[in-house]
Amino acid sequence: WIETMRLQSKILLTLFPAVMFSLLAIGGISHHLITDHTKSVLEAQRDHLFADTIEDFSTFLESTEANATVFSRMKPVQRYLAHEEERGYRDQSAVVRRFKSIQDDHPQYYEIRLFSEDGMEDTRVVSRDIDNRAQNEREMLYFERLLQNRGSVTRVLFRNPDNHEWALLIGQQVLSE
C-alpha cells in the first residue's frame, strides 16, 4: 500500500508540472492571439472611422463651397451690391434676413459677412454672441485670398480675430452680373 502511494506521488509530481506548463502555454498563446485579434479589429475600426471622417469632411467642403457660390449669386445680395450709391436700409435688411435664414438652416455658418473691395465689413450676421473687434479686414490673409481668387471659392483656415477660435472661412467674391 505504501508503494502505491509513492507511485501515485511520483506520478502526481511528474504530471502536475506538465499539466500546469501546458495550461500556462495555452493561456499565453490564447492571450497573444486575442491581443493580436483585438489590435486588428481596433485598427480596422480606426481606419474605417478615419475614412468616414475624411468622406464627411470632403462632403461638407463640397456642399459649403457650392453654398458659397449660391450665396454670392443670390438676388438680394446682387441688388444690394449693385447700387452702392443708392444702398439703403431696406436692401440691407433683405440681405440680413436671407443670411439669418441661411444660418437657421446651417448653424455651422455662425458668421456670414459681406466685404467691400477695400476690406471694410459692409454687412455682418452672427448667430452667436461674438464681438466685432475688426471691421477692416484688408490686411487679413483670408481677405487677400478672396481678392486673388476672383470668381472661385476660397478656403482658409485661420484664427478668427473676433473670438480667437480656429475657423474655416469659405467664401467667394460677389461678381456683378
Side-chain angles (χ1 to χ4, degrees), residues 2-175:
I2 293 183
E3 282 296 318
T4 308
M5 286 194 56
R6 281 191 202 170
L7 185 58
Q8 284 178 341
S9 296
K10 286 182 181 180
I11 292 173
L12 282 175
L13 286 175
T14 307
L15 286 178
F16 183 74
V19 169
M20 288 306 294
F21 179 74
S22 298
L23 289 174
L24 285 172
I26 290 171
I29 292 169
S30 298
H31 173 73
H32 180 72
L33 291 173
I34 288 171
T35 302
D36 283 352
H37 177 71
T38 303
K39 276 184 180 177
S40 298
V41 167
L42 288 174
E43 287 172 357
Q45 287 176 345
R46 180 203 59 209
D47 293 346
H48 183 69
L49 182 62
F50 189 63
D52 283 351
T53 302
I54 289 173
E55 185 178 334
D56 291 347
F57 189 67
S58 295
T59 302
F60 168 77
L61 285 178
E62 289 171 9
S63 76
T64 304
E65 288 175 0
N67 287 343
T69 300
V70 169
F71 300 163
S72 72
R73 295 179 180 156
M74 289 188 313
K75 292 298 180 195
V77 173
Q78 292 283 328
R79 277 193 301 270
Y80 176 68
L81 295 176
H83 306 290
E84 189 172 341
E85 308 80 35
E86 303 169 14
R87 253 183 236 166
Y89 173 77
R90 188 175 57 97
D91 294 331
Q92 188 177 33
S93 66
V95 171
V96 169
R97 278 193 312 277
R98 183 61 65 99
F99 285 173
K100 283 183 179 181
S101 74
I102 290 167
Q103 287 175 331
D104 289 342
D105 293 338
H106 303 280
Q108 67 272 25
Y109 303 163
Y110 69 90
E111 186 173 16
I112 302 175
R113 301 182 286 176
L114 286 177
F115 297 108
S116 60
E117 287 185 30
D118 63 358
M120 291 301 292
E121 199 171 77
D122 183 281
T123 303
R124 177 178 184 257
V125 177
V126 292
S127 60
R128 298 193 281 178
D129 187 23
I130 301 172
D131 291 335
N132 193 9
R133 295 195 170 111
Q135 289 186 348
N136 188 344
E137 310 289 330
R138 180 70 181 130
E139 303 300 318
M140 301 301 283
L141 174 66
Y142 56 82
F143 188 77
E144 292 295 325
R145 293 247 179 99
L146 282 168
L147 290 177
Q148 292 168 0
N149 294 334
R150 185 172 175 83
S152 63
V153 175
T154 300
R155 290 186 293 196
V156 180
L157 184 63
F158 73 107
R159 177 110 27 201
N160 187 335
D162 294 335
N163 61 7
H164 303 291
E165 292 178 5
W166 283 102
L168 176 63
L169 176 130
I170 297 180
Q172 183 171 5
Q173 281 189 29
V174 178
L175 304 173

